[in-house]
Amino acid sequence: MKPLARHVLPVLVVLGLAAAGCGDAGAQRATTTATAPTNATVSTSTTMSPPAPTASPTGSTGASRPRDGLVAGRYQPLWPFSNPDEVAAWRRAYRKDGRQAWHLDARRTALAFTRDYLGFAEIDRVAKTVEQGAHARVHVAYRGEEGPRPLVAAVVHLVRYGSGRDAPWEVVGTDDTSLSLTRPGYGAAVRSPLTVGGRISGVDESIRVQVRRPGSASPVGETCCVSAGGNNSPWSARVSFTAPPGRTLTIVASTGGHLAAVERFAVTGVTLAMS
């Protein structure tokens, strides 16, 4: 989950001169031939269509310089970097010896976020990738019980953290689908305990909520299991957590248990309120 884009259409009025201006939006580029970081196969599934890329505050999807630790001036840095200093340190190392080049691959970054950071090991492949400018939407998926077609668990939204050809990809949220995470709001300042909620469509769902922070191998807060189901039905949970201030927290809602341990998930980024 992340902030909605707002586009403004400028109107130019010129007296005495006939002038016309136009702007063409960049076409989306879909990629379905990437190799996952492990031996996972990459499918050409298109079971979920990504929304149009979110524009930056200036209305452009081009890369911009990090400001106040935010990505492109507006997005929460969820993973793998926490601030521009960490990005700069990696870029120096990469320019020196090519270290951790996977940061330049949106698909590998999305899979590493899903499996290594969130711990969803069964979600081990990419069904589809759509890139436009500094934005990428990666459909991470797991193998279904029947047939080779993977089942999409989430659409991970990534943005280039900084400018230049070696600006790394940063996870900034997910595109909500049949499982949404709308409370707390994206970028909100929160305290423990925290009320989390959204909407879900499904049958006999069981929602787990985790609070994660960079540098911690395990969640800093967790609650399970919230019974839910129906058609676009509301769900909510209360979770306590312990975390030091100064870094973005990632709230994760997941459900599964029918075909895989985790079949759908959604994330949002918040900050820890100062006492």
Side-chain angles (χ1 to χ4, degrees):
M1 188 271 182
K2 62 268 172 227
L4 298 176
R6 297 179 179 178
H7 303 278
V8 178
L9 179 63
V11 178
L12 304 179
V13 179
V14 181
L15 298 178
L17 296 176
C22 63
D24 295 330
Q28 291 183 336
R29 177 166 56 87
T31 304
T32 57
T33 57
T35 301
T38 63
N39 294 327
T41 58
V42 176
S43 167
T44 56
S45 169
T46 56
T47 55
M48 297 170 60
S49 298
T54 306
S56 70
T58 60
S60 167
T61 55
S64 62
R65 184 178 179 179
R67 184 182 62 192
D68 299 330
L70 298 179
V71 184
R74 67 179 299 167
Y75 297 103
Q76 298 296 318
L78 304 188
W79 193 86
F81 302 102
S82 297
N83 53 59
D85 290 339
E86 292 183 6
V87 173
W90 171 78
R91 293 176 87 164
R92 288 192 297 268
Y94 171 74
R95 291 169 182 175
K96 180 179 179 180
D97 56 19
R99 191 177 311 173
Q100 296 181 317
W102 60 269
H103 288 303
L104 299 178
D105 188 321
R107 293 152 291 185
R108 295 181 66 187
T109 302
L111 277 178
F113 169 76
T114 302
R115 297 178 310 169
D116 301 337
Y117 185 51
L118 301 185
F120 301 155
E122 291 179 284
I123 304 174
D124 60 358
R125 60 201 66 204
V126 170
K128 184 178 180 181
T129 301
V130 177
E131 292 185 22
Q132 183 179 12
H135 293 255
R137 259 79 177 191
V138 179
H139 298 224
V140 293
Y142 60 96
R143 182 177 181 178
E145 292 181 346
E146 299 180 359
R149 191 173 187 177
L151 301 176
V152 175
V155 180
V156 180
H157 182 191
L158 304 95
V159 178
R160 294 276 192 183
Y161 204 166
S163 58
R165 299 185 62 180
D166 62 351
W169 288 104
E170 178 80 3
V171 175
V172 298
T174 54
D175 290 347
D176 290 345
T177 54
S178 57
L179 170 62
S180 69
L181 179 52
T182 57
R183 183 180 181 186
Y186 188 86
V190 303
R191 291 184 175 89
S192 178
L194 174 66
T195 299
V196 179
R199 291 186 173 273
I200 189 170
S201 293
V203 178
D204 192 24
E205 302 298 333
S206 180
I207 301 175
R208 179 187 299 270
V209 176
Q210 295 182 337
V211 180
R212 290 185 170 270
R213 63 174 292 270
S216 177
S218 58
V220 297
E222 183 172 11
T223 186
C224 187
C225 299
V226 180
S227 297
N231 182 22
N232 197 32
S233 299
W235 67 270
S236 65
R238 191 86 164 162
V239 58
S240 297
F241 63 91
T242 303
R247 285 194 173 187
T248 298
L249 300 176
T250 300
I251 300 175
V252 190
S254 62
T255 185
H258 303 97
L259 302 176
V262 176
E263 297 162 357
R264 286 176 289 170
F265 72 88
V267 307
T268 192
V270 297
T271 60
L272 187 59
M274 300 300 293
S275 301

